[in-house]
């Protein structure tokens, strides 16, 4: 597990070692999309999104938050999905750590990063912004730097993000400065719902952030995961394709910023 007071670069190296990197051809440096999985762990469908990023000229890292902590996929389903351990705020330390790790990678443009999170991954990204100057204390990353999070990240994609209690965004917001936010919300999502994500996104918009939402009226939770084992999830390849296109659009916008 993550020890309190660990340096961002040290933890980032451990997380990166368990994660999977995708890169366009050529030496780079490339802007980088960090892809954060849901509470069920790093699943294959996220690699399709990583390929979308590569085709858009970005490197992508599918970040594994479980293996560095000695956790299995089963642990995720039993303990993370139930909120017993590794809630979004604590896991947001991985974002700060990966930003630090990118600084040591010659192929990466560490000043141009895009964050994409699915469900619990979206919660983690959101809490990383909402915690602000208290990031180090809350995450256990001694040098977690909220200024890097705000200066280097050019865009955020939140796909059916968990935004109910104890998620912080609806109550705290991210302040008046933050990246452009892209979001995907399902109208038939029986896991995180659509009202809580909407409340959080509305808060960001009221605070002055640019927020764009793709609303899939017929989408359940994990509609883009053909291996989702939750009986409430219904795989929709058509919506999966649309969301890939939306991700590509978001990356295109972020590249101009």
């Amino acid at each position: 597990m993550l020890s309190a007071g660990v340096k961002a670069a040290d933890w980032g190296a451990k997380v990166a070692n368990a994660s999977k990197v995708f890169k366009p051809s050529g030496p780079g440096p490339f802007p980088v999309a960090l892809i954060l999985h849901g509470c069920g762990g790093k699943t294959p469908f996220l690699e399709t999104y990583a390929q979308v990023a590569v085709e858009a000229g970005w490197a992508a890292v599918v970040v594994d938050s479980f293996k560095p902590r000695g956790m299995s996929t089963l642990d995720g389903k039993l303990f993370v999905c139930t909120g017993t351990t590794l809630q979004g705020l604590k896991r947001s330390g991985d974002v700060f750590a990966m930003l630090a790790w990118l600084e040591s990678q010659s192929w990466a443009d560490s000043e141009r990063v895009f964050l994409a999170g699915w469900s619990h991954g979206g919660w983690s990204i959101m809490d990383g912004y909402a915690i602000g100057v208290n990031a180090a204390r809350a995450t256990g990353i001694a040098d977690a730097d909220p200024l890097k999070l705000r200066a280097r990240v050019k865009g955020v994609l939140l796909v059916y993000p968990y935004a109910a209690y104890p998620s912080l965004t609806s109550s705290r917001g991210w302040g008046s400065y933050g990246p452009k936010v892209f979001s995907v919300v399902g109208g038939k999502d029986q896991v995180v719902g659509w009202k809580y994500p909407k409340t959080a996104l509305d808060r960001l918009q009221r605070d002055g952030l640019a927020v764009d939402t793709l609303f899939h009226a017929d989408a359940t939770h994990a509609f883009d995961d053909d291996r989702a084992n939750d009986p409430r999830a219904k795989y929709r390849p058509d919506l999966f394709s649309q969301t890939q296109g939306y991700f590509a659009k978001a990356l295109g916008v972020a590249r101009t910023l």
Side-chain angles (χ1 to χ4, degrees):
M1 296 295 286
L2 174 60
S3 300
V6 69
K7 293 290 188 181
D10 293 338
W11 182 245
K14 291 182 179 180
V15 173
N17 188 54
S19 303
K20 190 168 183 179
V21 177
F22 299 78
K23 292 183 285 187
S25 59
F30 308 105
V32 184
L34 299 177
I35 294 175
L36 276 70
H37 60 72
C39 68
K42 185 163 66 70
T43 46
F45 81 100
L46 293 176
E47 296 190 3
T48 301
Y49 286 107
Q51 293 294 348
V52 170
V54 169
E55 291 172 8
W58 293 66
V61 185
V62 180
V63 177
D64 190 333
S65 290
F66 287 177
K67 189 174 180 180
R69 293 177 168 87
M71 298 174 65
S72 66
T73 299
L74 181 59
D75 290 330
K77 292 173 182 175
L78 292 177
F79 304 114
V80 182
C81 291
T82 58
T84 305
T85 190
L86 195 60
Q87 294 186 350
L89 179 56
K90 183 63 68 174
R91 187 182 169 201
S92 70
D94 291 3
V95 177
F96 294 99
M98 290 300 289
L99 289 176
W101 175 75
L102 288 175
E103 295 172 3
S104 67
Q105 304 303 302
S106 61
W107 52 267
D109 182 351
S110 62
E111 300 289 333
R112 302 184 64 78
V113 178
F114 191 100
L115 300 177
W118 278 252
S119 194
H120 191 283
W123 175 15
S124 302
I125 292 168
M126 294 165 80
D127 270 18
Y129 279 99
I131 197 61
V133 297
N134 295 313
R137 176 184 56 79
T139 64
I141 301 292
D143 52 347
D145 187 348
L147 294 180
K148 288 183 180 179
L149 190 64
R150 296 180 183 278
R152 297 183 179 183
V153 176
K154 306 305 178 183
V156 166
L157 173 67
L158 307 169
V159 185
Y160 39 80
Y162 179 83
Y165 179 85
S167 174
L168 299 174
T169 293
S170 294
S171 59
R172 296 193 181 195
W174 296 359
S176 59
Y177 174 73
K180 183 171 177 61
V181 177
F182 298 85
S183 60
V184 181
V185 178
K188 294 183 178 178
D189 190 326
Q190 293 178 291
V191 177
V192 306
W194 63 266
K195 292 182 180 179
Y196 287 113
K198 183 179 185 300
T199 298
L201 295 167
D202 285 349
R203 169 61 190 263
L204 297 180
Q205 213 159 18
R206 288 198 306 272
D207 289 346
L209 275 66
V211 177
D212 185 88
T213 300
L214 175 61
F215 183 72
H216 292 313
D218 294 328
T220 66
H221 200 71
F223 65 84
D224 46 356
D225 184 357
D226 60 348
R227 300 187 188 184
N229 64 353
D230 190 318
R232 295 169 294 183
K234 181 179 180 181
Y235 177 57
R236 288 286 301 270
D238 55 331
L239 301 183
F240 184 19
S241 178
Q242 289 179 36
T243 306
Q244 291 174 56
Y246 185 68
F247 184 31
K249 170 190 169 185
L251 291 169
V253 172
R255 194 154 193 176
T256 66
L257 300 177

